[in-house]
Amino acid sequence: QVQLVESGGGLVQAGGSLRLSCAASISIFSINVMGWYRQAPGKQRELVATITRGGVTNYVDSVKGRSTISRDSAKNTVHLQMNSLKPDDTAIYYCNANSGPPYYNSYWGQGTQVTVSS
């Protein structure tokens, strides 16, 4: 079992920045992929960014060039730095950890609200 605790959400004006953090209860190097997802009201949850155990990153097109996912292995924490925020970025942001093979267990945090005002 992996516990994930997000922090760093809040209210920010358009064009501003936020840094989300996700603290894992185990070493992040024992997790195959860690990622950030978001869910806006009335919409499905979508992938925002992921980082693999090997450090390979991936972003949804809508945040490319504006966001950076990174990790602090000493603190078992993954960060999502978001810049040039837009009202469309408003959502609850969830941290996810996927154990990979053979079981592909998926764990979620409780979410953190990001609200971008215009």
Side-chain angles (χ1 to χ4, degrees):
Q1 193 77 6
V2 180
Q3 279 78 48
L4 304 170
V5 179
E6 300 105 331
S7 60
L11 173 63
V12 63
Q13 289 188 331
S17 298
L18 279 176
R19 188 193 194 207
L20 306 183
S21 297
C22 172
S25 60
I26 64 172
S27 169
I28 58 175
F29 286 113
S30 65
I31 300 169
N32 193 43
V33 181
M34 291 199 69
W36 287 95
Y37 291 71
R38 66 185 179 187
Q39 187 165 19
K43 295 186 178 181
Q44 290 188 332
R45 191 172 297 189
E46 67 169 353
L47 173 69
V48 178
T50 58
I51 185 166
T52 69
R53 181 186 290 121
V56 176
T57 59
N58 182 53
Y59 301 90
V60 66
D61 286 347
S62 60
V63 305
K64 279 181 181 177
R66 302 189 293 122
S67 297
T68 303
I69 188 169
S70 63
R71 60 191 179 186
D72 182 342
S73 57
K75 297 182 179 180
N76 294 324
T77 298
V78 173
H79 302 288
L80 181 67
Q81 177 69 43
M82 300 189 294
N83 302 320
S84 302
L85 283 162
K86 307 174 183 179
D88 283 349
D89 294 317
T90 295
I92 299 175
Y93 284 69
Y94 297 91
C95 181
N96 175 267
N98 191 296
S99 66
Y103 303 110
Y104 295 95
N105 292 322
S106 183
Y107 305 93
W108 294 93
Q110 81 286 354
T112 186
Q113 177 71 49
V114 171
T115 303
V116 184
S117 63
S118 56

